[in-house]
Structures are given as C-alpha cells and as structure tokens.
Amino acid sequence: MTDGGQLRVQAEDLIRAGDHAELIELAPRLREDEFWAHQWAPSCAIAAARLGRRDEARTLFTEALDRGFFQPELFDGAIEQAFADDPDWPRWQARLAANLPPAPVEILVWPSLTPKLPLELFRTTPDREEQLRALLPELTGSSWQRAVTLLHWVAQRWEHANDHVEAQADAVDVLRHVDEDGLRFACVEYSTVLSHALNAAGIPARRLDLRQPNYHAGWAKGHVVSEAWIDDFGKWVLLDGQNGAYWSFGSTPMSTLELQQAFADGRQPDLRTPDGPAPQAVTAWWFSYFHQIGTTGATWARPPFVPHFQYTLHPSMLLAGSPQDVYPDLAEIGLSIDVRAGAAATRLFSRHPFTIGYAVHHDGRHQVVDGADPVWPLPATPGTHTATVAVRTPNGELTPQPLVFRVTG
C-alpha cells in the first residue's frame, strides 16, 4: 500500500473510532491529499466541533468551502449537527450550493425512436434482388418518382388474369413466367413484383392484404396491393400494382392509415391511375376493400377479428392492437451518448432499412456522419447549441430531428 493509501486508512479508522483529537493531529498531512477539500477538511471540522473547539471547526469548514466542498450529504447529517446553529450557516449553505460544479455537457432536447413492433419488409433474397435489379426499368429522380416509375411499369408488364404462381415464387419467378411462358396473373403477383422491385431499388416496401366487409363469405372479397415508405413525404404510401394507381385527396398520395380512416369516415378519395382519376364506379369498388387491412408481419381490425376468408379458415399474421403499432416513422432517429477521445459524442440509430448515414446541421455547417460508424462528437465550445440530425438514404435526407445541448467545459 502506498503512503497515501496508508494515511487514508489511518484517517478512516480514526473517524470510525471517534478519535477526534488524533484525526485533527493528522490534518497537516491530510491537507496534501487530493481528498482534503471534500473529505478530510469537513471530517476534521466535525471532529473539532465535537471537541468544543469552535473557532478551529469554523476555520476548517470555511477552508473546505474555499476549496470547493459541496457535498454535506456524504456525512450523514454531521455537518448540519455541527454548524446548523452557527450564525453563518445560511451563508455557508449558499456557498455549498454555489460550489456545485455545472455538468460539463447537458442534452436538453434529443430525437427518439417511438416504440413500434419490429419492421418486416416484403423482400426476396439478396442474390435474387441483384437479379431483379437487372430487370427493372431505369430509375431516376426522387424516392416518389422512382416508386411511380416502378408502379406504372409493373401494371403494364402483363394483362390481369385470375391465375397464380406457387406461393414461394418471387418477382424474378413471376417475370420469367410472364416473359418465357406467356402466363398472366392477378393482384397477388402484381404486389409481389412491385414490393420486391421497390425494395431492390432501395425503397422500403411491404405487401398489403385488403378485405371488404363481410369477407368471411362470398367471392372477390380480397385485394392485394403494396405500400412503400416514401422518403419525400416521410410516410408510408399505398400503391396498387394491378391498377398502376395510388389514392389521394388532391396531389399528395395517401398512406394506408389515412385510407382506412377515410373509409371509416365515409370520405372517398380519388384513385389515380396512369390515365388520371378512375371513374366513380370503379373508385367506389376498389375503395370498398379498406374495411380490414393486414401488412407484412401483422394484421389488425376493429374487433371482432374474423379469421375466415371466403368460407375458409386462414391463419393470421400477428394481431396488432392498433395499426399505429406497425407503422414506424422511418425518419425517426434514436440517440445514445458515446465517448470519443475522452469527450462526449452522440451515437445515432435509425429503423430505415436503407440508411447509409446521417446529416448533422449545426452552426451553419452541414456534416455527414458515416453509417458504418454513426458517431458525431459534440462540439466543445461552451454555450447552448441547437442542431438537427437527419437520416440519409440513397434517395436523400429525411425529415430533420432536433438536438439541443449545453456545454459548460
């Protein structure tokens, strides 16, 4: 044990034994220890007070205050017992509070990931995606422009027919059957090709099962479409591959959640096809399918949920308590604190499956954070800092999220 270690043990033993005089005798040596201000000076002040040596106690306690002491709570009420009746105690309490050093860094506002069920996309395997990319049309422009290009391309690849491929077939299989065998398929295959193509193009996509009211009996009670996260709009958008169409009130395409709410409210939007809005009768027919919806990995309905479809009992996907549970905002960012070179830094997280990094806007500067090591060191300049962070994808930057922090040194 070092000399300093032996001295500390000796002082602790004297405090434990209540040997106040011997502890004060050690004060000249303890004064050289790094813990003098925060441990030994207050301890010696308490010891002097208990011995009735009031002036010495005051001198030791004010020395502790002068050197930055601020934690009387470490002494289990002994500080208050020794000095609470002193006329200077109110002033000393103020000095204790003033001695508390400010936090070097405080995170005041930060982005967070809203709790959701795990995101499951409707994708084929990586090697099949590579094959599929070679079959896709040329894609340019924003996320929405690329999605619309794929939507119209899929709708024109074959004429609709009520036939299906085997359940495990992917987009490459469907296109091969169309091109080599001259086969034609229904909504399931349109949505399979569109969903797989969107994901292959870096646009997160899922497949949707839509049901009309009373879908447990009858025929033609179901329709299958796709939904894609569109970076431009910061939301999920429903895309109907069979009809090459999307839904909207005005110019902005609608999400699945918006469509189901419109269905519940009795407000019918437009079905926008490549040739313009569909006729009223056609629109009303397709709109009737928004009674019940299931997406890749989950389904939901207003109770009661009916597991039969067209007279047949079907297994369901996970029954979600609310559609909100399975619609993550992929622009959201999670944050934790990291340490780089001994300084505070932020580590960023995203649920967007095609995240390539982050963009940070701070102090008039635009900085790019690599997705392979998504850490942004906090500036060390004292003061309150306001910044934004945004997810970066191959299609651009998503909605900025606020980050505010204070640095004191």
Side-chain angles (χ1 to χ4, degrees):
M1 184 181 296
T2 64
D3 291 343
Q6 290 176 339
L7 178 63
R8 291 171 187 172
V9 169
Q10 183 181 359
E12 289 170 358
D13 287 344
L14 292 172
I15 292 170
R16 194 175 294 112
D19 195 338
H20 308 310
E22 286 295 325
L23 178 64
I24 294 173
E25 288 295 321
L26 281 184
R29 294 174 59 196
L30 290 171
R31 189 173 272 105
E32 304 302 318
D33 188 82
E34 62 178 310
F35 296 129
W36 168 251
H38 298 286
Q39 184 171 353
W40 309 128
S43 296
C44 289
I46 292 168
R50 288 176 176 174
L51 291 172
R53 293 151 60 169
R54 196 69 183 174
D55 290 342
E56 186 175 8
R58 285 172 52 87
T59 298
L60 287 164
F61 189 59
T62 55
E63 182 179 353
L65 291 172
D66 290 343
R67 296 203 183 190
F69 176 63
F70 64 90
Q71 284 188 280
E73 68 273 11
L74 297 180
F75 296 86
D76 297 325
I79 294 288
E80 290 80 1
Q81 185 180 12
F83 298 107
D85 60 350
D86 194 291
D88 284 330
W89 178 243
R91 183 169 60 85
W92 290 342
Q93 283 184 301
R95 290 193 61 189
L96 286 168
N99 279 347
L100 176 66
V105 176
E106 294 178 293
I107 311 300
L108 305 178
V109 178
W110 60 91
S112 63
L113 295 171
T114 306
K116 301 287 182 183
L117 292 173
L119 175 63
E120 183 178 343
L121 301 181
F122 190 74
R123 302 181 69 172
T124 187
T125 60
D127 61 313
R128 299 286 281 183
E129 280 190 350
E130 187 63 32
Q131 295 180 46
L132 179 57
R133 274 190 282 272
L135 305 176
L136 300 183
E138 182 179 355
L139 300 175
T140 59
S142 68
S143 176
W144 176 235
Q145 290 169 326
R146 292 165 180 258
V148 170
T149 297
L150 289 173
L151 174 66
H152 293 166
W153 170 77
V154 169
Q156 297 165 2
R157 287 294 275 110
W158 67 87
E159 291 292 329
H160 176 272
N162 284 314
D163 198 5
H164 298 289
V165 294
E166 58 277 11
Q168 68 272 21
D170 67 4
V172 176
D173 294 321
V174 173
L175 294 173
R176 186 183 70 249
H177 285 309
V178 170
D179 293 338
E180 297 179 6
D181 305 325
L183 300 183
R184 295 155 55 189
F185 302 109
C187 59
V188 173
E189 286 70 29
Y190 282 108
S191 65
T192 294
V193 174
L194 179 55
S195 299
H196 286 174
L198 287 162
N199 282 305
I203 300 172
R206 306 188 286 195
R207 196 164 71 175
L208 287 177
D209 293 316
L210 308 181
R211 300 285 186 261
Q212 292 175 319
N214 302 314
Y215 59 84
H216 65 281
W219 309 106
K221 290 298 188 77
H223 186 43
V224 182
V225 296
S226 301
E227 63 179 355
W229 171 268
I230 303 300
D231 290 347
D232 310 31
F233 307 128
K235 68 177 184 178
W236 295 89
V237 170
L238 187 141
L239 301 170
D240 187 333
Q242 176 180 324
N243 293 302
Y246 60 90
W247 296 84
S248 72
F249 287 116
S251 59
T252 303
M254 296 176 69
S255 71
T256 307
L257 300 184
E258 292 169 332
L259 281 162
Q260 193 165 50
Q261 187 59 55
F263 180 84
D265 296 341
R267 300 180 297 112
Q268 181 176 292
D270 292 325
L271 179 63
R272 299 191 174 274
T273 71
D275 298 324
Q280 174 64 27
V282 173
T283 299
W285 170 255
W286 292 115
F287 192 58
S288 69
Y289 284 99
F290 290 109
H291 169 71
Q292 194 261 312
I293 302 175
T295 190
T296 304
T299 191
W300 66 90
R302 291 179 173 86
F305 173 73
V306 178
H308 284 77
F309 175 60
Q310 297 181 167
Y311 305 109
T312 302
L313 179 63
H314 284 261
S316 81
M317 294 173 286
L318 177 69
L319 287 176
S322 163
Q324 301 291 344
D325 295 337
V326 291
Y327 279 88
D329 180 347
L330 298 187
E332 288 183 341
I333 293 175
L335 179 147
S336 68
I337 298 302
D338 209 319
V339 178
R340 288 295 167 96
T346 57
R347 179 173 289 275
L348 305 172
F349 302 87
S350 168
R351 273 192 290 244
H352 197 300
F354 301 113
T355 298
I356 60 173
Y358 301 86
V360 179
H361 294 264
H362 172 259
D363 197 23
R365 296 176 57 210
H366 176 274
Q367 302 171 57
V368 172
V369 177
D370 189 354
D373 184 29
V375 173
W376 183 60
L378 294 177
T381 306
T384 299
H385 298 254
T386 299
T388 63
V389 291
V391 174
R392 294 179 64 246
T393 75
N395 296 311
E397 295 179 14
L398 277 61
T399 306
Q401 311 291 309
L403 173 62
V404 182
F405 55 97
R406 182 164 47 233
V407 178
T408 58

